[in-house]
Amino acid sequence: MSKRKAETAIDDNPKQRLRSNDGCALATDSWNAQITIESLKRAHDSAVQCFESVNGRPHCRVAINSTTSLLTDLTSARVALLDMRAAAFGMAAEFDRGICDAEEVILLTPTQPTGYLRAGELYSMRGHQRQAIKIYERGLAIVDPEKQQELRRRLDEANAQQRYCIDIIADLPLDLLPNIMDHLDIKERLTTLMVSKSWRTRLSGYPSIWSNVCIDARDRFEQFKFLDMAQISHHITNLQLCYLGSDHCEQMLLQMIAGSFNRLRTLHIRSCKYETTNLYIALSRVASTLKELEITCYTGKYPLIPFGTILLACRSLEKFHYSHKVVYDSASIGKLAKFHNLSLVDLKLDLMSLDGSDLEAILRHCPKLRRLTIFGCQSHALNIIRRNCPDLEFLSFNYDVEEDMVSKTKLSNGIYHFAVNVRNLDDVAPILMDHRETLEKLDMTLDFPAGDGDPFASLESLDNVRSLVITDTNAPDAFASLLRKLPALEILYVVGCNLCSPAMTTAMGQLCNLDNITLLECDATVSDMCALFRNFSRRGKLYKIDLNHNDFCDDTVLQGLLEIRSLQHIDIGWSDQITNEGIDRFCKGLQQLPYMEKVFFNGLHFTDTTLQHLSGIPSLKYLNLYAVHGTTPAGFKVFAKDKVQVVVGG
């Protein structure tokens, strides 16, 4: 960059000008201040000598003249030092303190341009051109005309900057502002309220911007004043508070107590340090509008919440989820109302231990439940649920169902989704039989000892079950017995199970309607898997298979998989048993499957030759490679962009 261009760049940037020119100005001011201080010392010494040497009038006049000169020089030194400190404050971005020093310079020397120039420059640094213009005009009205040249130049610059200064918020059309704010996260949105009064006034007037708010301490909200939530709290309908300390959490609860959250419908509190009394008072203040409440405490160090008392206060509540790994008893539950809560349809209690009698008291209070999730109860509590919840559609008992795998509520005459950890079939069988006409989805863990016979022998067939999820089961014979009771099964999801039994693979192969199977982290023999795939190939119904994190998955299993010509979707990976040659032969064999559309590979070694084999699959539409190594960018050029979508990750 030429010297002329560099000077122009500096002139166009007030901050750069302050840090460059003022570097020289600071040095000059420091030198002038040093000279002034030395002259002050000389004047002071001269005045003292006049008093001490001769006690006569002429010498007193000399002392008066010396002290007068001393006071004048002292004012000049103070002005120089204040101006120098104001410039330093500007370089440190402490503009308010710098402006205070500049104003003091103006007060000391109102007819000199020094203070006006410094104050105007600091205002320009902050982007406040209007205040800078006012300062310059104020100086022009007082400063001697001979000294106004620099003030006029700065005033022209500030006017030019003001013409190009646009308030994007003030000038945006009303319909565009919410669309732009939607691209900011909540922390950035809250920060915009602190920019200026005009921004805060305009932005706080849009309900759609503030309807969903998540305050997460992990996002570092230290700069935001929680008491400022009053500006937007009346727009909030969904509020999440996550990992807040005691101070911040109490401030939020005080806002709710003050009554400003008058449209709040959903409240989620996750691992926040709250005062139980304030929480109860805050919930009672929003009880008329609150429909969903979730409170999650991941450790036992948080105080017990009398959720019975909360149900008493929030009579309009439709959904209440409470997770706290502690032991509850009748005293800690709190007082339950005598009347029934007819609005509550979704209840989750995830506790370390809950007595059956206490559970029955709660369920008796909520007779209209349609969705119920219970942790921490013995299996005999299923009979209590059966007696007190006649309208249930979803029931999860001591079984962790991921939220995205929970079936959506639909009107039915019984349970259609049942998730349970089975330890005693005597307690589970009555519910299965009561709802065999409506039951469509089962999630189960079979906690039976291996080789314990056929526990499902006396169970009637469940003809309407279409989906089965089995996790952490070490009883393959019991698993096989259950599969024989599910003739209409279409989706099978198996995680962490022992499949080392010919009866197990035989039962799977006899599922005539099975079209989607997932095996994750399972134990099985290669021969049993190959026999299973041969059964699938004869039936011609299976279109999707997922084999990940399985030790049995090797080159032989992949070749057996190619026998299933009906496959349309495969997901394979994370197996050390698959060799480079094996995956290469498998991908070449996929060209013979006429319906193959989607292929996922994870954590495997590929070559460009393997990619070329994949590109030869005539029906392929989607290829996803995650953590696959060994390929080159040139290898992907074999895929036609308009035919196959290729996604590479990891």
Side-chain angles (χ1 to χ4, degrees):
M1 181 183 292
S2 65
K3 180 178 180 181
R4 182 179 184 87
K5 289 184 178 180
E7 292 174 351
T8 304
I10 291 176
D11 287 340
D12 292 339
N13 189 337
K15 189 171 184 179
Q16 182 70 15
R17 184 177 63 229
L18 181 67
R19 293 189 177 181
S20 58
N21 294 347
D22 281 346
C24 299
L26 285 175
T28 303
D29 289 343
S30 178
W31 174 253
N32 291 336
Q34 184 178 359
I35 294 175
T36 304
I37 292 172
E38 291 177 356
S39 64
L40 287 175
K41 289 181 178 180
R42 290 195 299 269
H44 175 268
D45 294 341
S46 176
V48 170
Q49 288 176 3
C50 289
F51 279 111
E52 293 178 350
S53 60
V54 179
N55 191 16
R57 186 175 182 83
H59 294 86
C60 290
R61 177 57 57 185
V62 173
I64 291 172
N65 294 336
S66 297
T67 53
T68 301
S69 176
L70 178 63
L71 290 172
T72 302
D73 291 342
L74 183 61
T75 301
S76 300
R78 182 173 177 82
V79 167
L81 291 172
L82 285 170
D83 185 55
M84 183 167 57
R85 190 170 70 171
F89 278 140
M91 295 174 68
E94 299 183 27
F95 302 113
D96 289 335
R97 301 178 68 181
I99 291 171
C100 288
D101 280 353
E103 289 287 353
E104 189 171 350
V105 172
I106 294 173
L107 184 63
L108 292 171
T109 56
T111 60
Q112 298 297 320
T114 306
Y116 304 104
L117 291 172
R118 184 64 66 193
E121 194 162 26
L122 291 172
Y123 276 123
S124 295
M125 282 285 295
R126 299 186 72 171
H128 295 177
Q129 301 300 334
R130 292 178 183 176
Q131 286 86 342
I133 291 171
K134 290 180 180 180
I135 284 289
Y136 294 141
E137 291 175 344
R138 177 177 153 197
L140 289 171
I142 300 176
V143 175
D144 295 337
E146 300 84 22
K147 303 177 181 179
Q148 291 183 359
Q149 182 178 358
E150 183 64 19
L151 279 173
R152 293 187 182 280
R153 189 182 71 81
R154 295 284 186 90
L155 177 61
D156 293 340
E157 287 184 0
N159 282 321
Q161 290 288 337
Q162 178 63 20
R163 284 192 293 271
Y164 291 104
C165 183
I166 302 174
D167 188 342
I168 58 174
I169 295 298
D171 295 340
L172 273 178
L174 296 177
D175 55 338
L176 288 182
L177 184 56
N179 294 333
I180 294 176
M181 296 296 289
D182 284 343
H183 292 279
L184 303 179
D185 60 34
I186 188 60
K187 182 180 179 181
E188 294 169 333
R189 294 184 205 178
L190 292 174
T191 304
T192 61
L193 297 177
M194 299 185 290
V195 173
S196 66
K197 183 177 179 180
S198 61
W199 280 39
R200 183 166 60 251
T201 301
R202 190 168 193 201
L203 291 173
S204 61
Y206 288 85
S208 60
I209 296 176
W210 309 107
S211 59
N212 299 298
V213 173
C214 176
I215 306 295
D216 193 328
R218 295 172 297 182
D219 294 333
R220 299 180 181 266
F221 276 86
E222 291 83 355
Q223 293 181 350
F224 181 71
K225 296 179 181 178
F226 283 81
L227 294 178
D228 290 342
M229 288 289 289
Q231 300 287 338
I232 56 155
S233 57
H234 58 288
H235 296 315
I236 298 177
T237 57
N238 303 313
L239 176 63
Q240 296 185 42
L241 307 177
C242 305
Y243 305 98
L244 297 184
S246 55
D247 292 340
H248 289 163
C249 190
E250 288 305 308
Q251 289 183 34
M252 292 297 302
L253 294 180
L254 289 175
Q255 288 286 319
M256 296 170 63
I257 293 173
S260 57
F261 290 80
N262 49 22
R263 295 184 182 177
L264 190 64
R265 292 181 57 86
T266 302
L267 175 61
H268 294 181
I269 302 175
R270 295 189 176 95
S271 293
C272 294
K273 297 181 179 180
Y274 45 77
E275 181 68 33
T276 304
T277 303
N278 286 342
L279 176 62
Y280 175 74
I281 297 174
L283 291 175
S284 64
R285 293 289 293 172
V286 298
S288 60
T289 60
L290 193 63
K291 301 298 181 183
E292 297 184 11
L293 174 61
E294 292 189 18
I295 302 176
T296 303
C297 305
Y298 294 108
T299 63
K301 64 181 180 180
Y302 297 97
L304 298 177
I305 295 179
F307 53 82
T309 308
I310 290 177
L311 292 176
L312 172 62
C314 304
R315 301 183 183 181
S316 300
L317 210 58
E318 297 176 359
K319 177 180 177 180
F320 179 49
H321 287 191
Y322 180 56
S323 299
H324 198 174
K325 290 302 184 181
V326 293
V327 177
Y328 263 76
D329 54 24
S330 301
S332 55
I333 288 176
K335 182 179 180 181
L336 289 168
K338 295 181 180 179
F339 62 89
H340 289 165
N341 190 328
L342 300 179
S343 63
L344 191 66
V345 296
D346 187 345
L347 175 64
K348 176 180 178 179
L349 298 177
D350 183 0
L351 310 173
M352 184 177 294
S353 178
L354 182 64
D355 188 72
S357 59
D358 295 326
L359 175 64
E360 186 163 19
I362 296 169
L363 297 182
R364 198 179 295 123
H365 174 68
C366 312
K368 296 298 182 180
L369 287 178
R370 291 186 175 274
R371 302 172 66 86
L372 177 62
T373 301
I374 296 294
F375 283 89
C377 289
Q378 299 297 322
S379 59
H380 63 81
L382 285 169
N383 295 320
I384 297 174
I385 296 172
R386 185 180 172 216
R387 289 195 305 268
N388 291 277
C389 302
D391 298 326
L392 279 184
E393 298 174 353
F394 168 80
L395 173 59
S396 177
F397 188 83
N398 293 337
Y399 191 97
D400 190 10
V401 182
E402 294 183 12
E403 192 65 28
D404 57 350
M405 297 185 68
V406 176
S407 302
K408 302 300 181 183
T409 301
K410 63 179 182 178
L411 295 178
S412 64
N413 296 320
I415 297 175
Y416 69 92
H417 187 173
F418 183 27
V420 61
N421 186 341
V422 182
R423 295 182 179 178
N424 185 350
L425 191 61
D426 294 338
D427 297 319
V428 177
I431 292 182
L432 293 175
M433 291 299 97
D434 288 347
H435 303 278
R436 62 189 301 268
E437 299 296 330
T438 58
L439 194 59
E440 298 180 6
K441 186 173 182 179
L442 269 177
D443 296 7
M444 306 182 82
T445 295
L446 305 180
D447 196 2
F448 299 140
D452 199 24
D454 188 352
F456 293 96
S458 60
L459 187 70
E460 295 184 30
S461 178
L462 303 175
D463 298 333
N464 292 312
V465 174
R466 300 291 189 270
S467 173
L468 175 64
V469 177
I470 294 290
T471 61
D472 303 323
T473 295
N474 193 32
D477 293 334
F479 188 4
S481 175
L482 174 62
L483 290 178
R484 287 191 286 269
K485 303 296 181 179
L486 308 175
L489 194 65
E490 298 173 358
I491 300 173
L492 178 60
Y493 195 97
V494 185
V495 182
C497 294
N498 181 2
L499 308 180
C500 298
S501 170
M504 178 72 255
T505 52
T506 301
M508 282 188 186
Q510 292 175 348
L511 297 172
C512 300
N513 297 304
L514 189 66
D515 55 26
N516 185 338
I517 184 171
T518 297
L519 303 179
L520 301 178
E521 301 177 358
C522 293
D523 293 328
T525 64
V526 173
S527 58
D528 285 344
M529 285 296 105
C530 291
L532 176 63
F533 294 159
R534 284 193 293 271
N535 287 336
F536 288 152
S537 66
R538 287 193 292 268
R539 299 191 180 278
K541 292 277 293 183
L542 192 70
Y543 79 90
K544 180 181 178 181
I545 189 166
D546 184 342
L547 300 175
N548 278 282
H549 298 283
N550 298 299
D551 291 338
F552 65 78
C553 193
D554 62 3
D555 296 349
T556 303
V557 170
L558 291 185
Q559 292 303 308
L561 196 60
L562 293 174
E563 298 183 25
I564 311 175
R565 296 181 58 80
S566 58
L567 282 177
Q568 302 176 23
H569 181 142
I570 62 170
D571 190 338
I572 297 173
W574 306 115
S575 175
D576 296 334
Q577 310 301 320
I578 300 176
T579 65
N580 299 345
E581 295 77 10
I583 194 64
D584 192 62
R585 288 197 305 272
F586 177 69
C587 291
K588 186 176 182 179
L590 288 177
Q591 298 176 3
Q592 308 303 318
L593 302 185
Y595 309 109
M596 184 57 61
E597 296 181 354
K598 295 183 179 181
V599 176
F600 293 72
F601 287 111
N602 309 295
L604 299 175
H605 187 277
F606 269 45
T607 64
D608 290 347
T609 303
T610 311
L611 294 177
Q612 191 170 4
H613 292 328
L614 290 172
S615 67
I617 302 175
S619 55
L620 186 64
K621 297 180 180 179
Y622 184 87
L623 174 63
N624 189 305
L625 304 178
Y626 183 81
V628 170
H629 51 280
T631 59
T632 66
F636 290 94
K637 294 182 179 179
V638 297
F639 294 98
K641 295 182 179 179
D642 57 344
K643 179 185 175 183
V644 182
Q645 180 183 358
V646 180
V647 177
V648 181

